Structure formats: C-alpha cells, structure tokens
Amino acid sequence: MRILKVALLAGLAALTAMPAAAEYKEEYKISTVVPAPFPWGIAAEKWAELVGERTDGRIKMKVYPGAQLVSGDQTKEFTAMRRGIIDMAVGSTINWSPQIKELNLFSLPFLMPDYESIDVLTQGPVGEKLFAILRENGVEPLGWAENGYREVSNSKHPIRTPDDLKGLKMRVVGSPLFNDTFTALGANPTQMSWADAKPALTTGAVDGQENPLSVFTIAKMHEIGQTNLTLWHYVADPLIFAVNQDVWNSFSPEDQAIVRQAALDAGAVGIEVARKGLTGGDNSAIEEVRALGVEVIELTPEERQAFVDATRGVYADWKEKIGPEIVEMAEESIANR
C-alpha cells in the first residue's frame, strides 16, 4: 500500500509540473488591419490554417481584421499585444513604430530602392537586431511578411515632381515620420486610420493617399477619384508575425517550433502574393491598374532623385531619432547586397 501511495503521489507531482495542453486557450486572437484578399490578410489566415493543421487542432487561432481588437486604432496594436489584451498579430512596422522607434527604419524616405533591399534588411543582421528589440519589449517575433512598397495617388493631377505635391491634402498613417516627409514635399498631410481614409477620399476631404498597389486595386481606389498614381517606391511596409510573451511561454517547445515555422511559411506566401505582377519582368499588376482608367506614372531615375533630394533633411533628422547605428547597418547591408 505504501509503495502504491508513493507512486500515486509521484504521478500527481509529475502531472502538476507538466504544461498541459488542456490549459491552452480555446481560441487565440490574431490582430490585423486588413483581411484577405489583401496580402496582409492572406498571410494571417495562412498562419492560423497551418498552425491548426500541424497541431491537430490543439492550437486554434482566428484572425480579427480591421484592427477591431483595438477599437480600430491600429497604432495601439503593439501595446495591446505586449499587455496581453490580444494574443498575436501580423502587424505593420509602421503601426508599431510609435512604441518601437527602430521600426521607423523602413519608413525612412527612399532608403530601399528595390525588393532585394527589403530582403537584405529583413533576412539579415538588421532583421535580427529588430527582433531582439521586440523580444526586449514583451513579444516574441517569429517571421516576416509584406504589405509592399507604398505608392502615391491623388484625384487632382499626375505627380512627377515634388512641386506636384504642393498644397495637396494627403491622408497619411499615424506616424510623425510620414507627416514630416509629406510636409517636406510641400503637401498638407492629414493623419487618419485606414477606416477613416476611404470616406475622406470619397467626400474630397483629402485629395490623395499612399498605399501599396495591392491595396489600391483591391480597395478600388479608382472608384473614389484616385485616378493619378505615381510609382515612386519611397518606403516599404514589412509585416511581422508576433506573439505575446506570456502566450508564447505557455506553449510547449514542440508547439513553439510549429507556430514559428508556420509563421515563416505563411510569410513566404504573403510576400509572394504582395509581389505578384510587380517583379521578375512581370508588370501585370501595373497594367491591371492602367486598365481601370488610372494614369500610372513610372518615374525616371532623374525624376525619382528629385524626391530623394527634397527629403534628405527628413532622412537625416530621423536617422538620429531612430538610432544612427541601426540605420548605418541598414545602409551598409543595402550597399553590399
């Protein structure tokens, strides 16, 4: 009897020490700003799908688009995840930059001239450095996806020179860096959420906006007067898969590996979708926009350089704010790509 009692006690102690799958939440909420069929939403949905399949349903994840978990204020997403108000996110580096200043790196005007530049940053030492900073701030970053290069459109006239932006009322995201960039170009920037942007463009409260080409097409921006589009590749918007640190620590090592790999795989899908029709000699995404009756301006190197020159002061100012060390690391990585 004594042997049996000791065995039972030992068994109970072992069970108590084990992280039980039964303690997992019934559902883990993933925050995003836009749903599928936007590349952003596709990446988030794919992440949830892969995790569900690979854990045999032990971990159930559901995407909540529209920044609905933070009452539509996408700039509060990172803080909500860090505090455990939301479990996970596929988030924009732009939206998280108010809390993590180093993420403003990707919004430095004209830092990244091509897709290879984005990849060398996210997949190299700069990306590793940024992930370390995110871990220090209470979240576990897992992988990258992509929202794409942000191009500029308006309802008034074609934009080929900085002078063409002067006086235009432009919707920009809630980042001081975007405000500074468009102010330097002579525009009148107005910060507002994406939820407020389309009504403002529809009524003419603002003249233009800047977003990736996929957003322009899927959101049918041509139907609300955005008939002038300039491809200037001034900034890009990488996306980050991340999990609240306490949620992450609650997963077994085996499930952590599954969730991380699923994020990497979903990120690859998202990047492929975001770049479809824009790389490898395939310009079908651009032609699709032209077919909608939109005038699409592709800047010459000399025309683009005029915008670069006009924003050098903003670049220099924000290099100091972001941190010269990480900006110089990025500049070196791009120069040596």
Side-chain angles (χ1 to χ4, degrees), residues 155-230:
S155 60
K156 299 297 184 182
H157 52 247
I159 295 172
R160 284 191 177 275
T161 71
D163 281 347
D164 293 327
L165 271 162
K166 287 185 177 177
L168 288 182
K169 293 175 288 185
M170 301 295 296
R171 176 266 173 178
V172 296
V173 296
S175 162
L177 176 46
F178 282 74
N179 192 73
D180 289 354
T181 298
F182 277 85
T183 298
L185 291 168
N188 180 15
T190 301
Q191 296 180 349
M192 61 179 67
S193 69
W194 176 242
D196 294 331
K198 284 193 74 174
L201 290 162
T202 301
T203 62
V206 293
D207 301 317
Q209 59 89 51
E210 47 77 57
N211 254 310
L213 209 59
S214 61
V215 173
F216 187 95
T217 306
I218 297 169
K220 299 182 178 180
M221 305 297 283
H222 66 288
E223 294 183 354
I224 53 175
Q226 298 299 290
T227 53
N228 301 285
L229 176 69
T230 296

